Amino acid sequence: MSSTEATQVKPREGFSSRKVFIFAAIGSAVGLGNIWRFPYVAYEGGGGAFVIPYLIALLFAGIPLLYLDYSIGHRFRGSAPLSLRRLGRGAEWLGWWQVLICIVIAVYYAAILAWAGKYTLLSFTKGWGDDPEGYLFKDYLQAAETPGPTFDFVPEITLTMLLFWVITIGVLAMGVQAGIGRTAVIFIPVLVVAFIVLVIIALTLDGAGEGLNTFFTPNWEALKDTGVWTSAVGQIFFSLSVGFGIMITYSSYVSRKTDMTGSGAVVAFSNSGFELLAGIGVFAALGFMAQASGTEVSEVVASGIGLAFVAFPAIINEAPFGAVLGVLFFGSLVLAGLTSLISIIEVVIGAIRDKVGISRRAATFIVGIPMAIASILMFSTTGGLYLLDTVDAFVNSFGILAVATVMMLAVSGVMAKLPTLERHMDRVSSIKLAVWWRWLIGVILPIVLIIMLVQELDTKVAEPYGGYPDDLINVFGWGMAAALPIIAIGLSLIPWRRGTVLSDDPDEIAAAEEAEDALLVDGGDTA
């Protein structure tokens, strides 16, 4: 190791306690997908029978992957690129791949957050009128007739997105503890209380029982479909924020003595508990909608944007206390989305700070302002919905799944670091890892994720995604997914700032974190 590598780096910020870390991790994990995706996935996967593959996926895929991210970040004490570089010289580019995925996700995630903010205000007056679908696509989004990018801006969306970017950048500029940690400690309890109230109201609606019967009635035949099992893995995978740098970054911000496996179990089960709560609330409301319209629940089930911005406004129009229901639902989307967006952008900020050695505030503005500009230019236009749908479909499928698969294979096979990571976790944690964890990470889960990738590839090659034009799909779909790992390799070739410790020796890393305990309590802006 060179003298440059041995030189001490500037100390890191951190969360003030394990509790704050857990709240921040839950804030990242609980996002839009928990509310608008899980209920539909569970329904399609066999209703009550879906609990079986879901729990198996949680225990044998989600939690082991979460522990992998925790072990890397907690032992090597850096952002995703720095931690992976310390893990092995050839692994740094995987960290930059994760950073780039976070950049792409953040720029479109902010648009959905802005829509939720607007709909929270609309809920007071039911401002979408009698035709929620027409209002969404024609009046609010003003979606172009031809799918593709445009420069026709929708001023209302532009201003709302700008507001949320200012809020997000402001929180991140405050620091790990004062900004991210404090926001999570406030927002997550408020989110849980708000959603519990929403669920209670939904359960009092006429038809709620029928909605719950539809949601929980088991279809055991569905368990014979391998697609249901991969769907369960996919839901757990995406909802836990594993595989794209967030948990590596967050776990580097906690004390070396923190119980990591115990914390991970709390985060994982809290996330799944919220998903179950969301399923109950959503299907109770859908049951009311079905009864009010004289149809079956199966005919009104939706997910994603269709559930949030079309089905729920229709429910709010008819439900008693509809305005309250709307404010709680869309307000919950805002809270869940904001804490997730903050965590996504922190991955980028942490990587830039480690690479070039600048202050938190400088890194936040250098990262946040260009991302905000790109976000507004692309997604506050009449073509924004089509770009969002395309980028989300391809980057999530061929980005997060792919980088997680490659990382597991590299850590377990090429670098053979799983025993080292296991020993580190066992030294500090209440739940001990064992050979089962190494088998899952090194063999079983890579195979499962490869199967999922092949299925996604077959689906998207079979016919143009969404019926969109080839130019749109090739540039913002396939092109975006293929470009990210190539750019990541280029970023990994840029030299680290002078003084960065690149050794994998924990003693040298620890020495580079001078006065760590005091800094973890402070969490302020450090150069």
Side-chain angles (χ1 to χ4, degrees):
M1 184 180 61
S2 69
S3 60
T4 298
E5 291 176 329
T7 307
Q8 183 175 325
V9 298
K10 296 181 177 66
R12 295 179 63 74
E13 302 173 81
F15 296 116
S16 63
S17 66
R18 179 190 177 204
K19 181 191 78 171
V20 176
F21 164 65
I22 288 174
F23 271 114
I26 292 172
S28 174
V30 174
L32 301 176
N34 297 68
I35 299 172
W36 73 24
R37 187 175 186 271
F38 171 76
Y40 183 81
V41 170
Y43 166 74
E44 287 286 294
F50 186 74
V51 172
I52 295 175
Y54 180 79
L55 287 177
I56 290 175
L58 172 65
L59 295 173
F60 296 102
I63 292 178
L65 281 167
L66 190 62
Y67 288 168
L68 176 63
D69 279 356
Y70 279 4
S71 66
I72 294 171
H74 192 252
R75 186 181 193 280
F76 296 109
R77 317 298 293 169
S79 59
L82 179 57
S83 290
L84 286 163
R85 172 60 183 83
R86 286 170 171 170
L87 179 71
R89 182 178 294 273
E92 180 187 335
W93 72 280
L94 293 173
W96 288 111
W97 191 359
Q98 294 175 337
V99 168
L100 292 170
I101 289 170
C102 286
I103 292 174
V104 172
I105 292 176
V107 295
Y108 73 75
Y109 207 86
I112 306 173
L113 185 59
W115 303 349
K118 169 64 176 179
Y119 270 66
T120 304
L121 298 178
L122 288 175
S123 297
F124 287 99
T125 60
K126 304 176 184 177
W128 44 72
D130 296 329
D131 181 15
E133 183 173 3
Y135 174 83
L136 174 66
F137 294 107
K138 295 180 181 179
D139 298 332
Y140 180 57
L141 297 180
Q142 300 177 29
E145 293 185 4
T146 303
T150 72
F151 288 100
D152 297 324
F153 291 93
V154 182
E156 189 173 18
I157 300 176
T158 302
L159 292 174
T160 313
M161 288 183 66
L162 179 61
L163 173 63
F164 276 102
W165 272 108
V166 169
I167 293 171
T168 303
I169 292 172
V171 170
L172 288 163
M174 292 170 65
V176 172
Q177 172 60 27
I180 300 171
R182 188 171 298 167
T183 299
V185 169
I186 295 171
F187 279 15
I188 295 306
V190 172
L191 169 63
V192 172
V193 171
F195 216 84
I196 288 174
V197 174
L198 181 150
V199 170
I200 292 172
I201 294 175
L203 290 173
T204 65
L205 298 175
D206 293 337
E210 186 59 33
L212 295 181
N213 285 337
T214 302
F215 182 56
F216 285 112
T217 299
N219 174 15
W220 301 112
E221 288 296 314
L223 299 185
K224 298 178 182 178
D225 183 0
T226 56
V228 169
W229 292 84
T230 56
S231 178
V233 173
Q235 177 62 30
I236 288 291
F237 185 86
F238 292 118
S239 70
L240 272 181
S241 295
V242 293
F244 56 113
I246 294 175
M247 294 307 177
I248 292 178
T249 304
Y250 273 15
S251 61
S252 74
Y253 292 149
V254 294
S255 165
R256 291 180 179 277
K257 297 180 180 180
T258 300
D259 178 356
M260 297 307 294
T261 58
S263 300
V266 172
V267 171
F269 285 106
S270 297
N271 176 73
S272 293
F274 188 88
E275 287 193 321
L276 181 60
L277 187 68
I280 293 171
V282 166
F283 267 83
L286 290 174
F288 166 78
M289 182 179 177
Q291 184 178 89
S293 58
T295 60
E296 298 294 325
V297 177
S298 59
E299 296 181 29
V300 297
V301 171
S303 67
I305 293 172
L307 171 68
F309 300 105
V310 177
F312 244 88
I315 294 168
I316 293 163
N317 281 347
E318 302 295 333
F321 307 105
V324 176
L325 193 66
V327 171
L328 290 171
F329 178 76
F330 290 110
S332 295
L333 287 181
V334 170
L335 293 174
L338 186 59
T339 53
S340 294
L341 179 62
I342 288 169
S343 70
I344 294 168
I345 301 174
E346 177 60 22
V347 174
V348 189
I349 293 172
I352 295 299
R353 291 195 66 199
D354 282 346
K355 191 74 171 182
V356 300
I358 57 178
S359 72
R360 162 161 289 277
R361 289 188 179 91
T364 300
F365 294 130
I366 288 171
V367 167
I369 292 174
M371 287 177 66
I373 293 172
S375 177
I376 292 170
L377 288 176
M378 294 176 66
F379 299 106
S380 70
T381 67
T382 56
L385 175 64
Y386 306 115
L387 295 183
L388 189 154
D389 189 28
T390 303
V391 172
D392 177 63
F394 283 82
V395 171
N396 270 332
S397 299
F398 303 111
I400 299 175
L401 286 177
V403 71
T405 303
V406 175
M407 186 173 76
M408 282 189 287
L409 292 173
V411 172
S412 61
V414 178
M415 294 179 288
K417 292 288 188 177
L418 283 183
T420 300
L421 297 175
E422 179 192 327
R423 286 192 297 271
H424 171 79
M425 293 289 275
D426 285 348
R427 277 198 300 269
V428 299
S429 299
S430 56
I431 302 172
K432 305 301 181 184
L433 304 182
V435 67
W436 61 267
W437 183 70
R438 278 180 271 157
W439 269 97
L440 286 170
I441 295 298
V443 180
I444 298 173
L445 289 179
I447 293 173
V448 172
L449 294 189
I450 289 171
I451 291 172
M452 292 173 64
L453 280 167
V454 171
Q455 289 176 341
E456 285 289 336
L457 184 65
D458 287 343
T459 300
K460 288 184 170 63
V461 168
E463 58 183 74
Y465 175 76
Y468 293 158
D470 289 343
D471 289 347
L472 175 62
I473 295 174
N474 291 337
V475 174
F476 293 95
W478 297 114
M480 186 77 72
L484 297 187
I486 297 173
I487 298 172
I489 293 173
L491 290 172
S492 71
L493 300 177
I494 299 174
W496 287 91
R497 65 186 170 94
R498 183 178 178 83
T500 303
V501 171
L502 301 178
S503 166
D504 65 352
D505 187 333
D507 293 331
E508 292 189 39
I509 297 171
E513 292 183 308
E514 185 177 302
E516 177 189 10
D517 290 340
L519 286 166
L520 286 174
V521 172
D522 176 38
D525 182 34
T526 55

